[in-house]
Each structure stands twice: as C-alpha cells, then as structure tokens.
C-alpha cells in the first residue's frame, strides 16, 4: 500500500508541469509524509455541475496545472465529439493564485485540440465571461474562479454555448472525457495561437448594463462599495458612471484585487466580520446603502442604515434583496417568469402570483434558474440575482448592484427606504422570515451521517410546529430532478437540508410565514418569526446530530 502510494506520487511528479507544485510534491516524497500524500492521492478532484473547486497544491485531489490541463483536454474532447471542431472557447479568470496560469493552460489545450480560444484581457468579473460566450457566439466558456472560497482555493467553472453553466448529463459526460485523458505529454499545448481579447467585450457588456434600468429613473442614491479584494471595482465604477449614479465611495482597504484576502477570514459578504470595513466606511461617509460584491463579482450584498442594529447598519438577507428587486420590477411593469431555487423564500411566488406573472422553482444554482423558459428575473438566497437574463444567463453582481441602487434612488425621491418597502411587502404578503443553519466541517462524513440520521428518523415536529410532509429529494419530484436534499413542510414553515455543492458545509434553509394584519402588527410578527426560527434551528440541529 505504502509502495503503491509512493509510486503514484512519483508518477504524478514526473509529469507535473508546474515548478512550484513539483517542488512541493518532491518535498513530501522525500519526507515520506504518508498522511499528506494519502490525502492528496485519495482519489481525484471530482468534476461536477460546479466544475472543479479545491485547495491549490500538488496531486490529483488539489487544484493545480496538471488537473486543469486534464480538465481542459476532457472538455475539448467533449466539444469535438459533438461536432464543435474549430468552435470558439472563451476563457475568463479572476485574481486568485494561479488563475492566470490556469487560463493560459486552458487556452493552449483548446488551441492544440483544434478549437479556437480567446482569453479575456485581464482578471474580470465572472458575469463578463458569461456575457462574452453568447456575444461572441462561442461553443463554450471557462471561468477560472473559486468565487468566495478561502484564499488557498481555486476553481474551474464551465459554460456551454447557451451561456449557462453545465447541468447533467453534460457534467458527467465531460467528467468521463477527463478520466479518459492519457499522460499529459500526449496533450498538445502550443506556446501560442489563441487570441487575447481587448476591451471590446467589456465595453459591450457595460453598454448592455444600461438595459437594466428604466429610462429617466432617479439616479441619486449614494453608495459605499467593497469588492472584497476581488475584481469588481473597475467594472462596477464604470457601470455606475455610465448610469449617472454618484461615484461609489470605495472601501479602500478592499478595493484592489489581492489573492491573500488580507482583511477577511473568508471573502464572502455573508461571513461574520467580512463587512466590518464597509460599515466603518459608511459611518464616515453616510451613504444611502452599502453594496458588496464577492471576489468574482457575481454575487451582490446590500446593507442599509438601521438604528436598531449594532453600529447603525444591517446586512439584508439575500431573500430580502430578492423580494425587493422583484417588487421593483413588478412596479416597472415587466412581463415574463420569475424564478428562484427551492432554498429561497416563498415570498417571490406570492409577489409573482399577485402581479399575474409566471413563477417557477428550480434546484439550487443558477445553472438551473437560468434555464427557465421565459425567465425575466431569477434569484437565489445566497446573494445571487439574474436581472438581465437576455444579457447574462447567470447571477450578476454588477447589474444587480445597478438595479438595487435604482430602487434605492426611487425610494429616496419618495422620502422612503428599502426597509420601508420590506415592511410594505410583509403587510401585503405576510412576514416571510428566513434563516440558515450552516455547519462547516473538516470531516465530510459528519455531513453524510447527518443526512443519514434525518432520512432514518425524520422529525415529526420542529419548534412545536407539526411536520405535514417530508420529502427525500434524492428521489426527485414531479417538478424537480433528483438532488441530495431533504424538504420538510410544517404548519406555517418550511425547511430544506442539503450538503453544499461548493464548500464543506451542511446547509439548512429555514422559513416561517407569519400573517400581518397591519403595519402596527409588524414588531410582534417579527418577534414571533425570530422565536420560531430559533426553535426550528435548535430542534433541527438535535434531529441531525450536529
């Protein structure tokens, strides 16, 4: 066993094209560090509907140039098998460690395989890549990013020619093609032959952002903005300038790309402490709202002044922003279908129904939301919003920021705020209070054990509310394909439990709906909602053994 492990490690070392990971692996081999080598050679990083994502390092269980070259070769073989020989593949990348290398390797592999490759001119938001695929008539696109993961991670996200992320069965077919790739020295990787794009694609994307807003709408809201050490600053500032908004006040410490993400534990606006510098900047500059993108700028977080909150500012939940944008679009008279994933608030369905608009629920992820026929607006509670599906068939933190700033401007002209509109929605549709129980693990078996326990002994009541139905989503439903998840409907509440697709987390999504007779009843409804959510969270954790 030990000899087999060392043999596999030396074989990998012999074909690793990266001097850094070669040195790292050689040191592990020389030290005979069997535990670390065992972890790195325990299998291969699995290619799925999120593409690839993992920690940078040597070996098949890490993100590195050897893994990326194989992934690119598998994708190229998949495309050629479907008659796309000579087709264009567009490649984008963020500012994380190794992103430039992974983008260049992908371009080389595509070129060597007889496809055409075009690389975006510099690290840019993921939505620019998603836009470029359809704008340029590409057969596929690749974005090198790990989104909001920790600094040592990177990833590889694949889109097909419709501009949407891959879904089954394409993910499995690409994975099979990757597994069939032979030794790396059999993968042609020329030193050139691909195109490095200029700013024309970015300019076209920025011109497209104009379509997000209503002609002649107010553009007066003042914003504090953080890119969270990612790639959003220059693109968002340019979009705001085109739109005629006041220039955002930047959180200076986080405005420039930095793969070390030095001011945050996790570069995710949802994580505790990540917004502290933005709040401090807001207290100095007194804006109307705070906007944050995650590092690849496909997510958009919003914070609002709230005297009741610590420090005077409160982060809005993704579900709150999702409902606000929906209400704004309804009042603008849009037509089409509103869609969201099953883990997001049911308030969107009520807004759509009252407006006479179509509504659909999908599995988690914009790979599903973006495929809804007739989509006009889609969102997911994890800060993702698709507000211009004809331009970008994915979540887009830049255009979402424009739309929420337009809404804040409209309300400002009326002497009102985003919180006032949330109150209106609660009175109109009932208070939809949401929360999440999220458990980050070192050992993935903790997640598997929790899911098994819930399947074997599903709860019959949570927080005193009877469970009226329990669904194992791994079997699929009449409207949804199978996924690893559990859904419970309770009297006035809903719970969904699923393993995260991108991080080592078990995620439980909780929602309670409390009727509201009038604005005067809102404080009591909020207190009841918070009490029920706390009870559900407590009882669910006990039922799952976490």
């Amino acid at each position: 066993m030990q000899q087999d492990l060392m043999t596999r490690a030396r074989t990998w070392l012999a074909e690793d094209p990266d001097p850094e990971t070669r040195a790292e692996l050689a040191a592990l081999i020389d030290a005979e560090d069997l535990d670390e080598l065992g972890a790195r050679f325990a299998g291969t990083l699995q290619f799925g509907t999120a593409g690839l994502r993992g920690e940078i390092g040597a070996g098949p269980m890490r993100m590195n140039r050897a893994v990326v070259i194989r992934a690119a070769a598998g994708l190229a073989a998949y495309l050629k098998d479907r008659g796309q020989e000579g087709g264009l593949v567009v490649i984008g990348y963020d500012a994380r460690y190794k992103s430039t290398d992974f983008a260049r390797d992908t371009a080389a592999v595509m070129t060597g395989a007889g496809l055409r490759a075009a690389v975006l001119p510099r690290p840019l938001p993921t939505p620019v890549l998603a836009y470029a695929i359809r704008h340029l008539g590409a057969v596929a696109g690749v974005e090198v990013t790990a989104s909001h993961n920790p600094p040592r991670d990177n990833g590889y996200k694949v889109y097909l020619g419709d501009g949407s992320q891959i879904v089954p069965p394409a993910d499995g077919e690409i994975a099979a093609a990757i597994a069939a790739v032979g030794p790396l020295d059999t993968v042609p990787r020329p030193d050139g032959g691909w195109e490095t794009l200029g700013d024309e694609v970015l300019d076209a994307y920025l011109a497209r952002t104009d379509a997000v807003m209503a002609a002649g709408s107010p553009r007066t809201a003042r914003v504090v903005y953080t890119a969270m050490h990612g790639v959003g600053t220059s693109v968002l500032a340019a979009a705001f300038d085109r739109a005629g908004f006041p220039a955002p006040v930047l959180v200076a410490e986080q405005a420039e790309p930095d793969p070390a993400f030095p001011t945050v534990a996790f570069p995710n606006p949802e994580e505790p402490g990540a917004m502290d510098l933005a709040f401090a900047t807001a207290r100095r500059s007194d804006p109307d709202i705070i906007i944050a993108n995650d590092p690849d700028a496909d997510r958009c977080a919003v914070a609002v002044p709230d005297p009741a909150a610590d420090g005077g500012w409160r982060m809005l939940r993704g579900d709150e922003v999702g409902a606000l944008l929906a209400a704004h679009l309804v009042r603008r008279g849009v037509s089409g279908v509103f869609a969201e994933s099953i883990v997001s608030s049911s308030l969107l369905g009520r807004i759509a129904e009252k407006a006479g608009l179509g509504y659909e629920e999908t599995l988690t992820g914009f790979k599903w939301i973006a495929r809804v026929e007739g989509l006009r607006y889609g969102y997911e509670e994890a800060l993702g919003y698709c507000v211009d599906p004809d331009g970008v068939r994915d979540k887009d933190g830049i255009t979402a920021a424009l739309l929420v700033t337009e809404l804040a401007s409209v309300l400002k002209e009326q002497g009102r705020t985003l919180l006032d509109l949330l109150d209106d929605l609660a009175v109109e549709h009932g208070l939809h209070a949401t929360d999440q129980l999220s458990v980050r693990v070192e050992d993935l078996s903790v997640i598997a054990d929790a899911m098994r326990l819930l399947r074997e002994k599903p709860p019959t009541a949570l927080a005193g509310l009877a469970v009226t139905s329990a669904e194992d989503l791994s079997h699929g439903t009449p409207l949804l394909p199978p996924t690893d998840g559990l859904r419970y409907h309770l009297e006035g509440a809903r719970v969904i439990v699923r393993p995260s697709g991108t991080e080592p987390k078990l995620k439980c999504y909780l929602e309670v709906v409390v009727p509201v007779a009038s604005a005067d009843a809102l404080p009591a409804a909020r207190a009841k909602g918070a009490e029920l959510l706390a009870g559900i969270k407590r009882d669910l954790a006990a039922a799952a053994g976490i």
Side-chain angles (χ1 to χ4, degrees):
M1 193 71 156
Q2 175 180 336
Q3 192 58 43
D4 176 57
L5 175 60
M6 296 298 281
T7 299
R8 283 186 290 134
R10 290 191 180 99
T11 301
W12 185 276
L13 178 66
E15 64 173 20
D16 188 338
D18 188 330
E20 287 184 30
T21 46
R22 279 178 58 82
E24 179 186 312
L25 184 55
L28 292 174
I29 292 171
D30 290 344
E32 296 187 3
D33 188 339
L34 300 181
D35 287 344
E36 185 62 24
L37 287 169
R40 289 166 184 248
F41 287 84
T44 57
L45 211 54
Q46 289 302 299
F47 186 94
T49 49
L52 294 167
R53 199 175 288 189
E55 185 179 343
I56 294 169
M61 288 294 289
R62 298 289 185 268
M63 280 295 295
N64 51 64
R65 290 183 60 200
V67 164
V68 164
I69 289 166
R70 288 185 180 280
L75 174 59
Y78 168 87
L79 293 170
K80 289 169 69 177
D81 283 350
R82 279 146 189 81
Q84 306 285 8
E85 179 93 34
L88 175 67
V89 178
V90 190
I91 302 151
Y93 58 103
D94 66 11
R96 283 179 176 266
Y97 295 118
K98 299 284 184 185
S99 285
T100 307
D101 293 340
F102 295 166
R104 186 186 186 282
D105 283 332
T106 301
V109 170
M110 296 300 163
T111 303
L115 292 146
R116 293 180 296 126
V119 184
L120 293 183
R122 58 184 172 280
L124 287 168
T126 293
V128 177
L129 181 276
Y131 170 80
I133 294 164
R134 299 178 71 212
H135 178 68
L136 296 173
V139 298
V142 171
E143 177 70 17
V144 179
T145 181
S147 191
H148 56 276
N149 275 39
R152 286 300 305 170
D153 287 6
N154 212 328
Y156 199 81
K157 188 182 289 190
V158 174
Y159 299 74
L160 294 181
D162 62 355
S164 300
Q165 296 177 52
I166 54 170
V167 294
D171 58 341
E173 292 165 350
I174 295 170
I178 293 169
V181 174
L184 285 193
D185 60 11
T186 66
V187 178
R189 285 185 289 132
D191 292 329
W194 57 88
E195 180 184 3
T196 300
L197 297 165
D199 278 345
E200 298 82 8
V201 169
L202 177 59
D203 292 343
Y205 168 82
L206 286 168
R208 175 79 205 179
T209 63
D210 298 348
V212 173
M213 291 163 295
S217 63
R219 311 284 166 93
T220 55
R222 293 175 300 107
V223 169
V224 158
Y225 171 72
T226 175
M228 207 66 68
H229 298 296
V231 298
T233 297
S234 62
V235 178
L236 181 129
F240 269 54
D241 182 57
R242 285 184 65 95
F245 289 117
V249 175
L250 302 181
V251 178
E253 303 92 331
Q254 299 174 335
E256 295 304 317
D258 187 336
F261 303 105
T263 69
V264 291
F266 288 94
N268 178 354
E270 294 178 294
E271 294 284 348
M275 294 292 289
D276 287 356
L277 287 169
F279 294 150
T281 304
R283 285 190 285 271
R284 292 193 300 270
S285 55
D286 194 30
D288 297 299
I289 57 172
I290 297 170
I291 286 176
N293 287 141
D294 65 339
D296 69 327
D298 62 353
R299 287 174 170 82
C300 177
V302 181
V304 294
D306 184 352
D310 256 2
W313 283 84
R314 175 169 85 83
M315 285 287 290
L316 295 181
R317 291 189 166 277
D319 284 319
E320 292 177 311
V321 177
L324 287 168
L325 293 179
H328 182 46
L329 291 170
V330 165
R331 290 177 189 189
R332 277 180 30 185
V334 303
S335 59
V337 177
F338 283 7
E340 64 181 341
S341 62
I342 56 172
V343 300
S344 305
S345 171
S346 59
L347 177 55
L348 183 70
R350 297 196 181 194
I351 292 171
E353 182 182 14
K354 184 154 188 182
L357 298 173
Y359 167 75
E360 278 198 39
E361 275 190 324
T362 74
L363 292 185
T364 308
F366 274 81
K367 57 185 175 282
W368 299 108
I369 294 171
R371 286 183 159 76
V372 168
E373 192 171 339
L375 180 69
R376 176 57 186 85
Y377 168 64
Y379 97 91
E380 189 156 69
E381 56 74 42
L383 310 182
Y385 313 94
C386 176
V387 301
D388 178 26
D390 289 341
V392 175
R393 290 190 178 175
D394 199 1
K395 56 186 176 293
D396 182 346
I398 304 297
T399 50
L402 289 171
L403 194 62
V404 80
T405 308
E406 179 187 59
L407 172 57
S409 299
V410 169
L411 293 168
K412 183 178 182 178
E413 297 292 298
Q414 300 167 356
R416 306 177 75 237
T417 68
L418 296 178
L419 293 181
D420 293 329
L421 181 52
L422 284 173
D423 286 351
D424 293 349
L425 292 172
V427 172
E428 188 176 0
H429 302 288
L431 176 72
H432 288 63
T434 60
D435 200 358
Q436 192 179 125
L437 172 62
S438 180
V439 183
R440 186 180 291 272
V441 302
E442 295 290 331
D443 180 0
L444 290 177
S445 69
V446 173
I447 295 175
D449 289 345
M451 295 296 289
R452 178 182 49 76
L453 189 59
L454 288 170
R455 285 187 167 105
E456 290 174 355
K457 284 187 65 177
T460 56
L462 297 168
L465 302 176
V467 175
T468 56
S469 71
E471 295 172 277
D472 186 342
L473 298 176
S474 66
H475 304 310
T477 76
L479 298 175
L480 298 170
T483 187
D484 186 9
L486 302 165
R487 179 164 60 181
Y488 306 110
H489 288 286
L490 297 86
E491 293 172 350
R494 183 215 65 198
V495 173
I496 292 174
V497 184
R498 59 179 282 272
S500 170
T502 56
E503 298 176 90
K505 281 183 176 181
L506 180 68
K507 302 182 94 169
C508 310
Y509 305 84
L510 325 174
E511 180 179 45
V512 299
V513 182
V514 182
V516 181
S518 68
D520 292 340
L522 272 169
R526 287 203 172 91
K528 182 178 181 183
E531 179 187 353
L532 286 171
L533 287 171
I536 292 172
K537 190 182 286 192
R538 178 194 64 236
D539 293 352
L540 183 63
I546 52 178

